[in-house]
Amino acid sequence: MSLKVPKASNIQLFKDGYKQMSGLEDAVLRNIEAVAELSNLVRTSFGPNGRNKLVINHLGRLFVTSDAATIIREIEVVHPAAKLLVMASQAQEAEMGDATNTVLIFAGELLKKAENLLIMGLHPSEVIKGYELACTKALAELETLSTSELPTPLTKAALARAVTPAIASKQYGSEDTLASLVAEAALAVMPDNPKLFNVDNIRVVKIMGGSLAGSRVVQGMVFGREPEGDVKKVTKAKVAVFTNPIDTAQTETKGTVLIKNAEEMLNFTRGEEKHMEKIFKELADSGVKIIVAGTSIGELALHYLNRNGILVLKVLSKFDLRRLCRVVQATPLARLGAPTPEEAGYVDVCETIEIGGDRVTVLRQEDGASVRTRTATVVLRGATQNHLDDLERAVDDGVGVLKALLKDARLVPGAGASELALARRVETYGAGLRGLAQHAVRRFAAALEVVPRTLAENAHGGAEGNEVVARLLAKHEKAGGEPWGVDVEGEGDGTVDAGALGILDSLAAKAWAIELATEAAVSVLGVDSIIMSRPAGGPKIPQQAGNWDED
């Protein structure tokens, strides 16, 4: 007869402070709950009628925006499963520049649908298999939904029409003005092979005051400040870029100088002045007419630069300095002195112009310039800094969509029409499958309906939104009903022919969004245990209730 040895129940596998959650209830369903929370947070910001979020980040900076990429970048998500979703949406932002909110909403909806299946007893591996089958089918069907392409050769009207839906989802009402600015700037820097289009060649400069109608595109690089010295305009000039301070060298130690008479007093700084004069004389003799400084410029240096007729521009942003070096084809120098012919750059025109009361400096290469040095700047005007930031994000999204379209010019109907058409086709595919995976495939189809439903709810309210989706489903059942989507303007019955109105989305952006959302959902479903170690570092510093100086 065998003897049963009792097991010790207090086996310690990890160090103190570790947290472990495993099993369906503790890990999987809790992860789904966290992801659903994040998905619901950004869901109300989706589409042209999306609400703004007022986010104050850890540095106390205020953001008023409906751009999902900005919202999730500025809120610090700590839940590990929700972080997977954040990474997927950041990958979408980096790759396509648009449809980040679609990734979050769709992945959240996939997991909500999976929750019911898991509670009913389906194994996560069956759900994962079904979702992967449905994703492959949806991507194959999406290819057949393409109705039109960007025309060649590219025209301003065609480019503006293509980026309007993406910009409308951020700045509803101003989309036509912004789309035309983006199209004009893109055409100005478009290379002969549009696939090589570089988004870095389009800059945005924000100038407070005026209104959006005062915005315009300026050929070349625009800096929101005047040159430092007396010279304000130079043409066909050699450029030197310095990253070190343009000033007299400071000694590392402090010394005391005893001056005995007036002559010594007069001669005290003369050596330094002579040295500075020699340096700037060398610069002027080498043909340099423009100096760009990355840091400070001393008063004595400015005096000699003015005397030699050299224009001095201060650019404090390293990012702008790098971009400027690319435009003028110069090498940034860390030493004060005349540049070699290889290190010096060249610019056709550097001038100061006035935009709405603010004086700005423009550097531009004339029409014969190579594509690499061509730059266009969108100068945005607006009443408040927050509004200008939001306009800049809309322009960035527009440029991102344009880049995606230049790589893959195919367009599909927008306004939720493509998602509904895919939902119907995936549903039919799921009904013909055998085995448990068919339930997950059909849930995937139901989850695709979240895009038109969210658009309708944000535009018309919850109750009306359901009716609009029901009408759309009825229209999609008829032959040729695939281009019908949600009418966010609310005129008529809430449905609209997206293809006829030119509401078109990039096929590549949609495909990436579906793929990334499915990957994120599958990653979360594949987790059955969460193990968290204790955060590193000592005890937290206690926060004082108010300011220490308050009575």
Side-chain angles (χ1 to χ4, degrees):
M1 190 175 144
S2 62
L3 180 69
K4 189 174 185 304
V5 180
K7 284 185 181 175
S9 58
N10 58 347
I11 295 171
Q12 191 173 6
L13 190 61
F14 304 116
K15 268 185 182 176
D16 285 344
Y18 265 81
K19 273 192 228 160
Q20 184 183 12
M21 293 170 279
S22 57
L24 184 70
E25 196 68 45
D26 266 359
V28 185
L29 297 184
R30 202 178 267 194
N31 284 349
I32 291 174
E33 199 182 319
V35 170
E37 191 78 25
L38 179 67
S39 168
N40 290 339
L41 175 76
V42 292
R43 189 170 166 172
T44 50
S45 297
F46 187 58
N49 295 79
R51 319 301 299 158
N52 281 343
K53 299 275 181 280
L54 199 150
V55 181
I56 298 167
N57 71 0
H58 62 291
L59 299 171
R61 190 164 168 220
L62 184 91
F63 294 86
V64 182
T65 180
S66 64
D67 179 31
T70 308
I71 295 166
I72 62 167
R73 189 172 60 243
E74 296 306 332
I75 58 173
E76 291 179 44
V77 178
V78 290
H79 194 283
K83 268 190 181 169
L84 287 173
L85 215 62
V86 169
M87 285 177 199
S89 99
Q90 283 170 344
Q92 175 75 10
E93 171 72 11
E95 195 64 39
M96 290 290 152
D98 189 40
T100 45
N101 210 337
T102 312
V103 173
L104 292 165
I105 291 170
F106 183 45
E109 193 66 17
L110 281 174
L111 288 166
K112 283 182 207 165
K113 299 285 184 211
E115 186 177 9
N116 298 336
L117 293 175
L118 294 172
I119 290 169
M120 280 157 52
L122 216 66
H123 195 272
S125 60
E126 294 289 351
V127 180
I128 289 171
K129 185 182 167 192
Y131 277 1
E132 283 172 347
L133 283 171
C135 178
T136 311
K137 177 68 177 169
L139 292 176
E141 289 293 344
L142 189 64
E143 305 279 327
T144 65
L145 288 177
S146 174
T147 51
S148 59
E149 290 192 2
L150 268 185
T152 46
L154 297 165
T155 62
K156 184 182 167 186
L159 287 179
R161 202 165 50 246
V163 298
T164 299
I167 293 174
S169 68
K170 303 285 178 297
Q171 287 293 327
Y172 187 42
S174 322
E175 67 270 19
D176 293 337
T177 314
L178 286 169
S180 123
L181 288 171
V182 169
E184 188 184 332
L187 277 178
V189 299
M190 191 66 70
D192 297 331
N193 178 3
K195 284 190 168 67
L196 301 174
F197 172 73
N198 183 2
V199 290
D200 267 359
N201 289 345
I202 296 179
R203 289 185 74 241
V204 176
V205 166
K206 301 167 285 191
I207 298 177
M208 287 261 281
S211 67
L212 181 61
S215 303
R216 62 182 203 177
V217 174
V218 178
Q219 299 286 340
M221 278 191 90
V222 176
F223 295 98
R225 61 190 302 156
E226 280 189 86
E228 301 298 308
D230 300 338
V231 186
K232 302 292 181 195
K233 181 173 180 179
V234 179
T235 54
K236 300 200 177 342
K238 213 172 177 184
V239 184
V241 180
F242 294 105
T243 54
N244 59 315
I246 300 176
D247 202 354
T248 51
Q250 300 291 325
T251 56
E252 285 183 18
T253 55
K254 287 187 176 171
T256 307
V257 179
L258 198 62
I259 293 171
K260 295 193 175 70
N261 53 37
E263 194 181 338
E264 282 181 9
M265 179 82 175
L266 291 169
N267 293 337
F268 176 56
T269 55
R270 193 159 291 163
E272 217 167 47
E273 286 169 18
K274 286 258 169 62
H275 179 63
M276 291 292 275
E277 189 173 11
K278 181 167 162 270
I279 288 171
F280 296 120
K281 182 84 171 63
E282 271 176 27
L283 272 168
D285 291 345
S286 70
V288 171
K289 287 188 188 173
I290 299 173
I291 282 183
V292 179
T295 51
S296 59
I297 302 162
E299 286 181 9
L300 184 64
L302 203 55
H303 163 72
Y304 285 122
L305 287 166
N306 285 338
R307 194 192 273 184
N308 287 308
I310 296 173
L311 184 144
V312 190
L313 183 62
K314 207 186 211 177
V315 178
L316 297 176
S317 157
K318 282 184 184 173
F319 186 69
D320 278 348
L321 203 64
R322 271 204 295 268
R323 213 179 238 175
L324 176 72
C325 286
R326 197 184 72 232
V327 169
V328 300
Q329 296 193 326
T331 307
L333 303 173
R335 55 168 176 81
L336 207 53
T340 62
E342 294 81 33
E343 291 169 337
Y346 177 82
V347 70
D348 284 328
V349 181
C350 176
E351 60 184 348
T352 307
I353 60 170
E354 195 164 309
I355 297 177
D358 281 37
R359 291 176 71 76
V360 296
T361 308
V362 182
L363 285 107
R364 71 169 180 274
Q365 308 286 23
E366 294 297 341
D367 296 334
S370 72
V371 173
R372 192 164 167 270
T373 60
R374 241 186 262 164
T375 311
T377 304
V378 179
V379 179
L380 293 174
R381 307 298 312 280
T384 65
Q385 192 59 46
N386 271 323
H387 182 53
L388 281 171
D389 288 345
D390 224 22
L391 288 173
E392 182 184 11
R393 283 189 278 272
V395 169
D396 283 347
D397 272 21
V399 174
V401 167
L402 206 55
K403 186 177 185 219
L405 281 172
L406 291 169
K407 282 185 181 172
D408 184 348
R410 290 173 298 170
L411 294 157
V412 291
S418 304
E419 284 83 356
L420 258 186
L422 287 178
R424 279 188 61 248
R425 293 179 186 194
V426 173
E427 174 72 43
T428 313
Y429 167 68
L433 282 177
R434 295 169 68 184
L436 291 172
Q438 64 170 311
H439 300 293
V441 172
R442 295 174 81 166
R443 291 295 163 110
F444 186 97
L448 276 165
E449 289 176 18
V450 74
V451 174
R453 179 167 280 111
T454 306
L455 281 172
E457 281 172 8
N458 288 348
H460 307 291
E464 182 65 23
N466 283 336
E467 286 180 27
V468 170
V469 173
R471 284 185 213 122
L472 278 178
L473 284 166
K475 286 193 174 169
H476 275 253
E477 289 295 332
K478 295 173 189 164
E482 267 143 12
W484 284 85
V486 179
D487 180 8
V488 292
E489 288 173 355
E491 294 159 11
D493 66 350
T495 62
V496 68
D497 187 340
L501 275 182
I503 305 168
L504 301 166
D505 290 339
S506 158
L507 183 142
K510 278 251 190 296
W512 268 91
I514 291 171
E515 201 172 331
L516 285 167
T518 311
E519 272 179 26
V522 162
S523 301
V524 173
L525 285 172
V527 172
D528 78 329
S529 186
I530 303 172
I531 303 161
M532 286 192 284
S533 65
R534 189 173 62 190
K540 295 277 184 284
I541 301 164
Q543 295 292 315
Q544 288 176 328
N547 187 4
W548 60 273
D549 201 27
E550 282 175 7
D551 292 320

